[in-house]
Amino acid sequence: MTPADDFAIVPPFEVRESAEQRVPFVFNSPHSGSHYPERFLALTRLDAMEIRRSEDSYVDDLFGAAVPLGAPMLAANFPRAYLDVNREPWELDPRMFAEPVPSFANIRSARVAGGLGTVPKLVGEGLDIYAGRLPLAEAVGRIESIYKPYHDTLKLLLTRTHARFGYAVLIDCHSMPANIRIGENGARPDFIVGDRFGTSAARALTDTAISVLLSLGYSVAHNKPYAGGFITEHYGRPAKRLHALQIEVNRGLYMDERTMRKLSRFNALADDMTRLIAELMAMPDDNFLDLPLAAE
């Protein structure tokens, strides 16, 4: 069996949408996939709980109100430990593979150095996924059969949205470990809003997201330590009326990271995310149009 067979029954990802798209927004949940193919589990050295340590569990549910409010959501079913689509297509660690990686692979990125390339080496806090080297064909198969179709689908959603509304707004939805601390006092943010330091989205979008979250009583950081990954950087082009914003939710707000179970306050947080989504969707169009210098 090969990576192409791993999702023969469960699709690797899905587009959730209502009958008609009513708003110029697209939501993306690339790390919340929780289908672990048996063949992949046989390749790993981790148990069924350890392998989930990098998973953005339930994030697609938290932001699920986007769909009935009129926006499509692209959601991964494949797990982040298996393949990370928030990376360049060929960010590969040559030490992971039995054969040489392609000459065009990016082997020197900070993400590769940290064990978090397109095919990750680590999960959680430094747990090695594999006991030995993988065949290079394993990485190529995952990239060709899942990574590329995923991005083709995301690009199609954004292109369709832009053509219909004159602009498109991508909200990239993620979660972060509860132990994240920032600043000299080691404060724990509830949310981190990332816009690649002002280059991926209109400032009004960032400001509105932060303002709404603060009004709901949450602590919010901006761009530190997460400014947005490959998806935010690659698709955010404000001068072309393409805006991308990354939102990171602290997992301690809604789940037990040890048992991977939802906490009782999950539904209350989901209601607040519905409020956030609605407020973003209600922003006037002129916040997103004719901004050639907004993020340069």
Side-chain angles (χ1 to χ4, degrees):
M1 295 182 68
T2 68
D5 303 308
D6 287 340
F7 294 88
I9 298 175
V10 176
F13 55 85
E14 58 192 73
V15 177
R16 304 170 189 170
E17 55 189 339
S18 54
E20 180 183 9
Q21 185 176 352
R22 301 190 301 276
V23 291
F25 281 73
V26 174
F27 284 73
N28 183 47
S29 185
H31 289 163
S32 57
S34 58
H35 177 71
Y36 290 79
E38 288 298 324
R39 192 186 67 86
F40 171 59
L41 291 176
L43 288 172
T44 76
R45 58 182 296 274
L46 303 178
D47 64 33
M49 192 62 71
E50 290 171 333
I51 195 65
R52 299 185 66 185
R53 293 306 179 196
S54 292
E55 183 184 308
D56 285 356
S57 305
Y58 313 119
V59 164
D60 53 334
D61 292 341
L62 281 175
F63 290 87
V67 177
L69 289 174
M73 172 183 280
L74 177 60
N77 290 322
F78 61 88
R80 182 186 186 184
Y82 177 91
L83 178 72
D84 195 340
V85 290
N86 199 24
R87 301 290 181 260
E88 297 173 26
W90 298 97
E91 277 188 86
L92 299 177
D93 184 343
R95 297 167 297 179
M96 289 181 61
F97 304 102
E99 301 85 16
V101 300
S103 59
F104 52 79
N106 182 352
I107 64 173
R108 294 184 173 86
S109 76
R111 294 178 290 217
V112 167
L116 300 174
T118 313
V119 176
K121 182 177 186 290
L122 306 174
V123 296
E125 298 181 359
L127 294 175
D128 279 291
I129 298 173
Y130 307 101
R133 295 189 178 223
L134 296 173
L136 181 63
E138 185 67 32
V140 174
R142 296 181 197 182
I143 292 166
E144 295 293 341
S145 64
I146 299 176
Y147 181 103
K148 290 184 177 180
Y150 188 96
H151 278 277
D152 286 346
T153 302
L154 183 55
K155 183 178 179 180
L156 179 62
L157 290 171
L158 291 169
T159 301
R160 183 185 76 183
T161 301
H162 191 281
R164 177 169 182 176
F165 296 96
Y167 68 95
V169 181
L170 172 63
I171 305 297
D172 204 37
C173 308
H174 296 264
S175 68
M176 57 187 170
N179 62 4
I180 289 294
R181 297 290 187 271
I182 61 171
E184 294 181 359
N185 63 351
R188 188 196 82 164
D190 295 322
F191 289 86
I192 299 175
V193 175
D195 60 6
R196 298 297 304 179
F197 302 101
T199 65
S200 70
R203 184 56 189 256
L205 179 67
T206 302
D207 289 347
T208 299
I210 293 173
S211 176
V212 172
L213 290 170
L214 289 173
S215 74
L216 292 169
Y218 296 106
S219 60
V220 186
H222 181 206
N223 283 325
K224 295 180 180 179
Y226 305 122
F230 172 78
I231 289 171
T232 311
E233 182 179 22
H234 183 71
Y235 293 102
R237 295 287 183 269
K240 296 183 179 180
R241 300 182 178 180
L242 294 167
H243 305 266
L245 191 72
Q246 178 175 286
I247 299 178
E248 296 263 3
V249 187
N250 192 302
R251 292 175 198 150
L253 293 175
Y254 69 89
M255 65 175 282
D256 182 322
E257 290 184 281
R258 183 180 60 83
T259 64
M260 309 294 286
R261 293 177 179 171
K262 294 178 180 178
L263 299 177
S264 59
R265 54 182 178 268
F266 180 92
N267 290 337
L269 179 61
D271 288 343
D272 285 343
M273 293 305 92
T274 301
R275 168 76 179 277
L276 170 65
I277 293 166
E279 293 278 359
L280 295 178
M281 290 179 174
M283 293 178 63
D285 293 345
D286 58 13
N287 285 297
F288 302 101
L289 303 174
D290 301 323
L291 300 169
L293 301 177
E296 299 300 329

